[in-house]
Amino acid sequence: MSRELPPVRLVNVVCTFCVNQNMDLTELTHKIPFAEFNAKKFAAASIRLFAPRSTCLVFSSGNLVVTGCTSEDHALLASYRYVNMLRKFLRLPLRMRKFRIQNLVAASTLSFNVDLVQMAEHY
């Protein structure tokens, strides 16, 4: 008896990488008008892209986290675009290093109910 598997779609890809120097987040928000940074709330500045739709967290250490992409290829493309954006606005010779996919989130619709409590107890 062969059952067809339900379609699975990627809904979020999270990747990380670093640039070759520390970042002054206050300067970054002054030079990039659409960047957001509030040191009292969170230790990173955030920047958004429309295509591929994503958000980038820029930490002062030079580490960046890109989230919200729907494919690994889009995550890589968005990462290149963020580095190019930082190069352009900050006029720094930045290079992307140590690119890595950290997490994939997928979704699917099942044709039956799942008892999460029973599953947790069993596994």
Side-chain angles (χ1 to χ4, degrees):
M1 181 159 95
S2 145
R3 287 192 179 174
E4 199 173 306
L5 294 175
V8 176
R9 67 189 187 288
L10 279 177
V11 293
N12 188 23
V13 176
V14 178
C15 66
T16 58
F17 60 95
C18 62
V19 291
N20 52 337
Q21 67 183 62
N22 292 342
M23 306 293 287
D24 181 345
L25 300 181
T26 304
E27 177 188 357
L28 184 142
T29 53
H30 284 98
K31 292 187 175 180
I32 302 176
F34 46 88
E36 300 173 16
F37 175 58
N38 183 343
K40 293 179 183 176
K41 286 188 178 181
F42 192 59
S46 67
I47 308 170
R48 288 186 170 78
L49 278 180
F50 287 111
R53 186 175 163 187
S54 59
T55 301
C56 180
L57 298 176
V58 182
F59 292 88
S60 60
S61 63
N63 292 325
L64 290 85
V65 178
V66 176
T67 185
C69 294
T70 55
S71 76
E72 294 167 277
D73 290 339
H74 283 167
L76 181 59
L77 175 61
S79 298
Y80 278 120
R81 288 186 177 170
Y82 285 116
V83 171
N84 286 333
M85 182 188 310
L86 292 172
R87 269 193 216 122
K88 175 183 171 185
F89 282 101
L90 302 179
R91 299 183 191 275
L92 296 172
L94 302 175
R95 302 225 6 180
M96 184 168 55
R97 307 224 188 263
K98 301 179 186 173
F99 177 85
R100 184 169 177 208
I101 300 292
Q102 294 289 345
N103 191 25
L104 300 172
V105 179
S108 184
T109 302
L110 302 176
S111 59
F112 54 88
N113 293 331
V114 177
D115 187 342
L116 295 176
V117 174
Q118 182 184 12
M119 186 184 295
E121 289 171 354
H122 186 264
Y123 293 102

